[in-house]
Amino acid sequence: MKSRTAAAMGSGKVEKKQNARQNPRNNRKPLGPKSDIPKSKSKKKKKTKNNNNHQNDTDPIETKNKTTVVTGNNSNNARPPPATPRQQLSYFLSQFQSANGVQLSSLELESIKDSCILDVSQESGQDVMRLEKYIKEAFGAKWKEELCEGKLIGGKTEAGSPAVLVVATSALRSIELLRGMRSFTKECCAVKLFSKHMKIDEQQVSLLKNRVNIASGTPSRIKKLIDIEALGLSRLSLILLDIHTDVKGYSLLTLPQVRDEFWDLYKNYFHQQVVQGDLRICLYGPIPNGNEFKVKSLELADG
């Protein structure tokens, strides 16, 4: 009996060993309390990994939002659209009233139409060579007769009376603007009206005693020549005002001394012609866009 029992027990051990070999899971050691710690750590690591993955998923959204903000700022700093003739006129008259401390009457405002503005706002850059196109269009079918003819016509043309007058802040800028009208000055030279290297007597005697179609100069010298009746205004149809800013940010309408000289010239010799519709204004340069056009006192009539 004992031998049989021992044999049976022995065979049971063999079966258990064989079962352990056949089923590898039985070979695993039971996990004790110490083994729970690394398990929990591994879970924490997994969570951390998942959190990182979640953060990475949100990163593109944040980057996208930042990019959108930058793009928005760029669009805010983008170049504004060109000012319309009405906006240009409103800006010019508001500057006139502010600089001279005057208030235009409703009758004057009704008389000044948008059509008095020669619109070159599409060419607000520094390429003066494009000016010819607009000036030619302003004179219509008579552009050759008014801008290119070199001979005085008795009873029709007064000596020293230009059809186009360019007003700039300096002598150098006056010369530069004349480059944009070279095709008009082959038979009749343009006249330079500024004080640099030129005396009034020289200009009066040698230049303004002949036919003049186009003249360019600074406000102070132009007014002096009109005052002494050397420069005539009987043919004047267009004044081109260069309002481009210099390196310091000043322009014809903002540079203190030159600004005062220009408004003195305009008030005394040009404003009434504008009101009567006999003179057009060309603002050559970028016009400030925004609140400066919202002038309560200016209720401009339709052009």
Side-chain angles (χ1 to χ4, degrees), residues 105-266:
S105 67
S106 57
L107 183 62
E108 284 180 302
L109 291 174
E110 289 174 2
S111 302
I112 303 173
K113 309 293 183 181
D114 295 353
S115 56
C116 78
I117 296 292
L118 176 62
D119 186 17
V120 295
S121 58
Q122 298 293 335
E123 305 298 340
S124 58
Q126 295 283 354
D127 188 3
V128 297
M129 303 309 293
R130 296 177 180 271
L131 285 173
E132 287 183 350
K133 167 190 169 184
Y134 295 94
I135 294 174
K136 187 185 295 184
E137 290 174 356
F139 284 87
K142 294 183 177 181
W143 71 271
K144 279 188 178 181
E145 180 184 341
E146 294 292 330
L147 301 175
C148 302
E149 180 63 45
K151 297 179 182 178
L152 287 170
I153 302 173
K156 290 185 178 182
T157 309
E158 179 187 349
S161 181
V164 177
L165 181 61
V166 179
V167 187
T169 55
S170 66
L172 290 175
R173 187 62 180 164
S174 299
I175 295 171
E176 185 178 354
L177 290 167
L178 286 178
R179 290 193 299 107
M181 307 176 201
R182 282 178 179 173
S183 65
F184 301 143
T185 59
K186 293 178 181 179
E187 295 184 18
C188 182
C189 294
V191 177
K192 303 167 186 175
L193 309 176
F194 44 77
S195 58
K196 191 173 184 179
H197 307 308
M198 300 184 78
K199 297 179 180 180
I200 287 183
D201 291 341
E202 179 186 347
Q203 290 175 327
Q204 179 183 358
V205 175
S206 62
L207 299 176
L208 297 175
K209 290 296 182 181
N210 301 314
R211 173 165 178 154
V212 177
N213 295 330
I214 298 173
S216 179
T218 54
S220 178
R221 179 50 62 93
I222 290 172
K223 186 176 183 298
K224 285 180 181 178
L225 290 168
I226 297 175
D227 288 342
I228 64 176
E229 298 182 352
L231 180 65
L233 302 176
S234 61
R235 293 181 59 223
L236 188 61
S237 298
L238 175 68
I239 53 171
L240 189 150
L241 310 179
D242 178 35
I243 59 173
H244 280 96
T245 55
D246 58 17
V247 291
K248 295 183 179 180
Y250 290 111
S251 72
L252 179 67
L253 302 182
T254 58
L255 187 61
Q257 182 179 351
V258 176
R259 174 195 61 198
D260 296 340
E261 292 169 351
F262 166 73
W263 288 122
D264 188 32
L265 168 66
Y266 176 83

Side-chain angles (χ1 to χ4, degrees), residues 57-127:
D57 292 339
T58 58
D59 286 342
I61 297 173
E62 292 175 359
T63 306
K64 188 176 181 181
N65 290 338
K66 289 179 182 177
T67 305
T68 304
V69 172
V70 172
T71 305
N73 291 337
N74 287 339
S75 63
N76 291 336
N77 295 331
R79 186 177 178 180
T84 64
R86 174 177 288 274
Q87 289 175 324
Q88 294 177 53
L89 180 58
S90 176
Y91 170 74
F92 181 76
L93 293 180
S94 67
Q95 292 292 311
F96 171 67
Q97 291 185 124
S98 175
N100 293 280
V102 298
Q103 182 73 38
L104 295 177
S105 67
S106 57
L107 183 62
E108 284 180 302
L109 291 174
E110 289 174 2
S111 302
I112 303 173
K113 309 293 183 181
D114 295 353
S115 56
C116 78
I117 296 292
L118 176 62
D119 186 17
V120 295
S121 58
Q122 298 293 335
E123 305 298 340
S124 58
Q126 295 283 354
D127 188 3

